[in-house]
Amino acid sequence: MRSVAAIAKRELVAYFATPVAYVFIIIFLAVSAALTFYVGGFFERRQAALDTFFTFHPWLFLFLIPAVGMRLWAEERKTGTIELLTTMPVTTTAAVIGKFLAAWAFIAAALALTAPMWLTVNVLGEPDNGVILASYVGSLLMAGAFLAITSCMSALTRNQVVAFILGATVCFLFTMSGVELVLETVRAIAPAALVDAVASLSFLSHFSTITKGVIDLRDLVFFVSMIVFWLFATTIVVNARKGL
Amino acid sequence: MIVMDGLSKHFGPVRAVDGLTLAVDKGEVLGFLGPNGAGKTTTMRMLAGFLEPSGGRAAICGFDVATDSIAAKRRLGYLPEGAPLYGDMTCAAFLAFVAEIRGYRGAARRQRLAEIVDTVALGEVLERPIDTLSKGYKRRVGLAQAMLHDPPVLILDEPTDGLDPNQKHHVRELIRGMGKEKAIIVSTHILEEVESVCTRAVVIAQGRIAADGTAESLLARLPRHNAVRLVVPAGAADAAAMVLGEVASPQAVERLPAADGLVTFYVLAHEGAAPLAAVAHGLHAHSIEVDSLGVERGRLDDVFRALTAQEETAPEGASPEGASPEGAGSGHA
Ligand SMILES: Nc1ncnc2c1ncn2[C@@H]1O[C@H](COP(=O)(O)OP(=O)(O)OP(=O)(O)O)[C@@H](O)[C@H]1O
Ligand SMILES: [Mg+2]
């Protein structure tokens, strides 16, 4: 659809119109490198692999993705341009998808800029490039799911800070639901079926299988359906709240 | 081409628009008037598909704005209240974006963009970010955006707000020019605008139609519309009163108290026509000294106030005497 492309293009240009985009990319690169080298002990492990690098992605995305996505709809509501956008001959779905794709492409660009790490491990040794590629794909998909959640939270408010907090909170819940500590708690008070349900919604567990190099269709389907679900929810929220 | 049928919008207990039924045809420029909070913007937002009606229906070129919204939006150019724009984009980038959304491609797009930039005189600010433009230029960008696809229906919410007199004149000329082959609704608080561009005026108050007609027919509601206004020196007043008694019925003549040594008379119109010739002839025949003589047209402001003053104060629980006496009462003295 042409209108999706037009909206995505406008949005992407808007990202780079402010220094925020560059600041974001620099923070992402610096923090992910620092975590990998210092906290993850990349050199001490003496392995040519990037798994330490990817391990930190869910935790990094928890804050960075809501920061990228918070403006998606909140800003349109704040400045009133949502009235312009929603009275043009584009469906709300097209607008939601266009905006999402722009932010996702931006994150993909940030992720692509970590390629020097990949080159480094290839210089230092012989990593399993299949695993690394799978991990990149998994990371991008997980980022998309975080972003779709943030998009929906952003449509709920005209305040970007509120959008950020809501987005980070919901993303946190979906990440933490796979942590053993949380599951223990749930297990103590809820039936096993519910524990499984909670665990199966965890971004962490789906992501960690992918980074082990096991590309299971179920994990891909999980992230893709998360994206679809939250974008659909965004459409509903935008339609219901645009005039308020 | 624009049809509203029992259109309503409620915000909780507030009935912003309350059963509006109205049709605007091709060739009409409808001036949408009403006090602050009357429901003009709310009505326009429903027509543009931004707000869902709480009741009734509306259609643009036969396409229902709720069920056929994309088709309706294609045929509509809309300038929202306050002309919100993507401030971080340059004018050129913004208009190019709108053109793309509106389906213009390649050479056709370049040509159309050049035309519209010329029409609203944006040439010199094209490469500037919209945020850095003055209010009037922003409004022009908003107008360019609304007219870009040459739509058969235009809905403009206060299009001349913030423009300098030259630009106001220019935009009015533009609207009047387009009015011949389009259906246009313009909301405004500038009543002279209604007389200069609109073929029809609708006054709404509290979400309901208070008056509907041409500017002329609204003016005709004023008791002193088309009355002859005669000013004579105080010394000649009695002689003048006698002459006026001959040319008009006694109820038709009003005599205001003397001020600054001058007395003003009004001779109310008879069946819409001003008795100017008869008055002038009578005065001449009796050689009465005249300070000034003319036909009073009345001002739309007075009609507007008369129509909306009481309604405006009512919800605040104002006492009856709060209802602006000079508004509703003018002319009955
Ligand atoms: N989103 C909203 N929520 C609640 N009330 C609203 C909302 N939008 C408008 N209203 C109310 O609806 C009524 C009509 O407002 P509207 O903006 O249509 O007036 P208007 O005729 O355009 O006034 P103005 O001349 O000031 O532009 C007002 O009482 C306003 O407070
Ligand atoms: Mg308004």
Side-chain angles (χ1 to χ4, degrees):
Chain A
M1 285 236 286
R2 274 170 166 167
S3 45
V4 173
I7 289 171
K9 197 172 96 191
R10 195 209 76 74
E11 199 74 22
L12 201 57
V13 173
Y15 268 109
F16 287 101
T18 63
V20 178
Y22 303 98
V23 172
F24 168 84
I25 288 182
I26 290 167
I27 291 181
F28 174 70
L29 294 179
V31 174
S32 61
L35 287 175
T36 310
F37 292 130
Y38 297 107
V39 185
F42 177 78
F43 293 115
E44 289 76 11
R45 294 178 62 211
R46 305 201 145 273
Q47 271 174 9
L50 278 182
D51 52 345
T52 49
F53 167 67
F54 286 110
T55 313
F56 293 110
H57 277 196
W59 308 104
L60 208 54
F61 285 174
L62 206 50
F63 297 100
L64 289 179
I65 305 286
V68 171
M70 64 185 183
R71 54 174 287 282
L72 282 178
W73 290 97
E75 191 182 36
E76 297 263 357
R77 300 243 324 252
K78 178 100 184 170
T79 59
T81 47
I82 191 165
E83 188 168 358
L84 208 58
L85 185 62
T86 56
T87 54
M88 283 180 182
V90 285
T91 59
T92 309
T93 312
V96 166
I97 294 175
K99 278 171 163 285
F100 170 81
L101 287 181
W104 205 20
F106 173 71
I107 293 164
L111 215 47
L113 288 174
T114 63
M117 291 229 178
W118 191 352
L119 294 178
T120 310
V121 288
N122 271 289
V123 170
L124 294 178
E126 282 175 7
D128 185 339
N129 282 322
V131 172
I132 294 178
L133 188 63
S135 303
Y136 267 114
V137 171
S139 181
L140 189 59
L141 280 175
M142 184 174 61
F146 276 135
L147 185 65
I149 290 175
T150 309
S151 157
C152 185
M153 298 301 128
S154 174
L156 281 170
T157 169
R158 60 181 62 228
N159 184 328
Q160 294 194 34
V161 177
V162 173
F164 174 83
I165 293 171
L166 285 176
T169 308
V170 178
C171 290
F172 183 68
L173 293 178
F174 273 96
T175 311
M176 287 304 282
S177 64
V179 174
E180 208 39 52
L181 188 75
V182 175
L183 290 180
E184 283 300 329
T185 323
V186 177
R187 212 166 273 140
I189 55 169
L194 193 65
V195 177
D196 289 346
V198 170
S200 73
L201 281 178
S202 166
F203 284 20
L204 219 51
S205 40
H206 287 280
F207 182 61
S208 65
T209 29
I210 297 179
T211 53
K212 288 193 188 87
V214 189
I215 294 215
D216 187 334
L217 198 59
R218 275 174 304 181
D219 297 320
L220 301 185
V221 168
F222 169 77
F223 283 122
V224 171
S225 28
M226 270 288 163
I227 293 173
V228 171
F229 171 81
W230 286 103
L231 289 186
F232 181 66
T234 309
T235 315
I236 290 173
V237 173
V238 169
N239 277 335
R241 298 188 57 94
K242 63 186 175 186
L244 300 179
Chain B
M1 291 213 276
I2 308 171
V3 178
M4 294 169 238
D5 184 14
L7 196 62
S8 303
K9 181 74 192 179
H10 304 164
F11 294 107
V14 180
R15 288 163 172 265
V17 177
D18 197 6
L20 224 53
T21 299
L22 202 62
V24 184
D25 290 325
K26 183 171 163 172
E28 276 191 297
V29 180
L30 184 133
F32 210 32
L33 310 174
N36 293 135
K40 304 180 294 293
T41 298
T42 307
T43 305
M44 293 174 141
R45 284 182 167 165
M46 287 191 280
L47 292 175
F50 181 58
L51 287 177
E52 303 245 325
S54 316
R57 52 180 295 277
I60 304 285
C61 297
F63 296 98
D64 191 292
V65 297
T67 56
D68 238 341
S69 69
I70 298 291
K73 286 169 186 173
R74 282 216 177 91
R75 288 158 182 83
L76 172 73
Y78 176 52
L79 175 70
E81 180 172 56
L85 300 162
Y86 290 110
D88 47 11
M89 299 176 93
T90 63
C91 281
F94 173 70
L95 292 177
F97 164 67
V98 176
E100 204 164 327
I101 292 275
R102 293 290 184 182
Y104 287 90
R105 296 284 177 277
R109 187 170 90 171
R110 272 192 300 279
Q111 191 198 339
R112 185 65 197 141
L113 284 173
E115 279 169 20
I116 201 78
V117 162
D118 195 47
T119 312
V120 295
L122 277 175
E124 51 203 273
V125 298
L126 264 188
E127 294 309 323
R128 292 202 6 215
I130 292 173
D131 267 341
T132 69
L133 299 182
S134 69
K135 180 175 166 187
Y137 271 102
K138 283 182 189 160
R139 192 58 49 114
R140 287 192 230 173
V141 178
L143 276 170
Q145 163 276 128
M147 303 184 326
L148 196 130
H149 55 299
D150 197 21
V153 174
L154 271 174
I155 292 181
L156 310 173
D157 203 346
E158 303 193 20
T160 57
D161 181 35
L163 298 185
D164 65 46
N166 296 337
Q167 274 301 318
K168 269 201 180 100
H169 179 76
H170 179 67
V171 167
R172 286 174 197 165
E173 290 291 307
L174 210 64
I175 294 175
R176 197 171 26 211
M178 291 187 302
K180 296 191 186 77
E181 47 311 347
K182 295 184 197 299
I184 304 179
I185 298 185
V186 189
S187 84
T188 180
H189 288 299
I190 308 168
L191 297 175
E192 62 187 83
E193 200 156 286
V194 177
E195 289 182 87
S196 68
V197 286
C198 301
T199 59
R200 181 177 162 198
V202 167
V203 181
I204 66 166
Q206 292 192 298
R208 264 167 287 174
I209 296 179
D212 181 356
T214 59
E216 191 57 33
S217 77
L218 291 186
L219 284 173
R221 291 171 169 242
L222 286 175
R224 281 185 193 157
H225 179 63
N226 270 354
V228 171
R229 182 171 184 271
L230 168 68
V231 183
V232 296
D238 290 333
M242 207 183 69
V243 170
L244 294 181
E246 284 168 17
V247 300
S249 62
Q251 308 92 289
V253 181
E254 276 177 46
R255 178 175 174 167
L256 305 192
D260 298 335
L262 295 172
V263 173
T264 304
F265 290 92
Y266 283 103
V267 185
L268 301 187
H270 182 64
E271 286 168 357
L276 183 63
V279 171
H281 190 260
L283 292 170
H284 187 71
H286 292 83
S287 312
I288 292 168
E289 193 188 339
V290 173
D291 190 75
S292 78
L293 178 65
V295 176
E296 181 89 352
R297 265 179 52 71
R299 295 183 316 135
L300 267 181
D301 290 46
D302 296 328
V303 185
F304 182 85
R305 291 226 308 274
L307 284 168
T308 59
Q310 297 139 311
E311 282 124 293
E312 202 180 2
T313 43
E316 263 97 64
S319 52
E321 57 267 32
S324 168
E326 81 277 25
S330 81
H332 295 296

